[in-house]
Amino acid sequence: MQFAKENGHFKVKNLSIRSFKIIADGALGSHGACMIQPYSDEPENYGMLLKTPSEIKAVFEEAKHYNYQVNSHCIGDSANRTVLRFIDTLLSSTPDHRWRIEHAQILHPEDFELLSQSGALPSVQPTHAVSDQRWAEDRIGKKRLNNGAYAYNSLQKSSGMVLFGTDFPIENYDPFATIHAAVERKNIENEPLKGFISDEAISFEKTLKAMTLWPAYGCFEEANVGSIEKGKTANLVIFDQPVKSHSNFLPNYSWITIINGEITFDMR
């Protein structure tokens, strides 16, 4: 908080600092995600919050005081509910706060409305779903899996937008793996054949927004980046093949990369 107090919103070259990250709970795979009901494969285990509710609230209040965002790592439905309730309470009078829920991996079905009214933005990584698909049902059971887990379509409808990332180096940073996971709900080996929880697929058009303009909005940069418009920074890539989605994974590669209006990579 001392940095925020002394510097406010800080920007130098391509680096912008105006947010804090809170790790609210652990990961689903290690049974550390904080759940409302116990794990299906460990009936005595609910996971855990890594910070107490009072600690989380204290960080939120200071961040609000310094006009900083808070981006909260929330995997389990209990962690998501706890953080969303705090956001809804603290920022009800600040509609354009753009505080983010990082991962938003499992939400209780009743909490999608809470997400909508809180104004929080879900920031997710589509490849998580297709990486976890082999064991996720073991952790939380079929009912929870199909009612609020990896629910990117439902998240987008609730909040009006969803922000996509990769969680590199934990996950594959290939943007075309992200597209394939979001639209086809498959990994780059094209598994599973019919897609993982395919009802939660995002359209190709919304996926492109979730990788460009919506993340720019999520960090208050939509006036500078996120789309090709006059007056915005020229960060562009010309690909070897047309950018599209297909039922089978299609790799693609940069032919020309332009950053800040300058060609930084050229295969011509």
Side-chain angles (χ1 to χ4, degrees), residues 65-80:
H65 175 74
Y66 293 115
N67 193 25
Y68 260 52
Q69 288 173 289
V70 176
N71 306 329
S72 304
H73 164 116
C74 297
I75 300 289
D77 53 9
S78 181
N80 276 288

Side-chain angles (χ1 to χ4, degrees), residues 2 30 37 73 99 120 149 171-172 197 226 234 262:
Q2 189 65 29
S30 60
Q37 298 297 325
H73 164 116
W99 284 16
E171 290 284 340
N172 189 343
I197 321 177
E262 296 185 3

Side-chain angles (χ1 to χ4, degrees), residues 20-33:
F20 298 105
K21 184 172 183 180
I22 284 184
I23 309 297
D25 66 345
L28 187 68
S30 60
H31 300 88

Side-chain angles (χ1 to χ4, degrees), residues 58-253:
V59 173
F60 282 6
E61 288 175 335
E62 282 204 73
K64 182 181 179 182
H65 175 74
Y66 293 115
N67 193 25
Y68 260 52
Q69 288 173 289
V70 176
N71 306 329
S72 304
H73 164 116
C74 297
I75 300 289
D77 53 9
S78 181
N80 276 288
R81 175 176 287 180
T82 298
V83 168
L84 286 172
R85 283 177 172 173
F86 279 141
I87 293 174
D88 187 48
T89 300
L90 290 171
L91 298 168
S92 58
S93 62
T94 314
D96 193 28
H97 52 79
R98 308 188 196 183
W99 284 16
R100 291 157 48 161
I101 303 295
E102 301 295 337
H103 310 308
Q105 200 158 300
I106 305 165
L107 263 70
H108 191 281
E110 296 176 1
D111 291 335
F112 284 90
E113 183 177 351
L114 178 58
L115 171 67
S116 177
Q117 72 186 33
S118 73
L121 299 175
S123 173
V124 306
Q125 300 73 37
T127 56
H128 278 174
V130 296
S131 293
D132 297 356
Q133 51 97 8
R134 294 183 179 89
W135 48 260
E137 185 174 336
D138 292 339
R139 295 290 186 274
I140 60 175
K142 190 171 185 177
K143 183 178 179 180
R144 282 185 290 187
L145 185 66
N146 290 287
N147 289 277
Y150 310 95
Y152 307 144
N153 186 41
S154 297
L155 290 169
Q156 188 275 319
K157 289 180 178 178
S158 295
S159 68
M161 65 180 68
V162 62
L163 321 181
F164 283 173
T166 64
D167 207 25
F168 176 80
I170 305 301
E171 290 284 340
N172 189 343
Y173 60 82
D174 184 342
F176 297 98
T178 294
I179 292 172
H180 199 55
V183 180
E184 305 297 335
R185 304 285 292 197
K186 300 177 183 178
N187 60 25
I188 60 175
E189 286 79 33
N190 299 304
E191 300 170 335
L193 185 62
K194 295 183 179 180
F196 178 60
I197 321 177
S198 57
D199 288 347
E200 291 294 346
I202 296 281
S203 72
F204 176 67
E205 291 74 17
K206 288 179 179 177
T207 292
L208 293 185
K209 286 186 177 180
M211 297 173 70
T212 55
L213 189 57
W214 290 345
Y217 177 87
C219 57
F220 293 88
E221 288 287 339
E222 73 275 15
N224 304 313
V225 296
S227 60
I228 303 173
E229 297 180 61
K230 183 178 179 180
K232 290 191 175 184
T233 302
N235 293 335
L236 311 171
V237 178
I238 300 173
F239 291 105
D240 181 56
Q241 301 293 327
V243 178
K244 59 184 180 180
S245 181
H246 191 270
S247 58
N248 291 317
F249 178 70
L250 298 174
N252 207 340
Y253 306 94

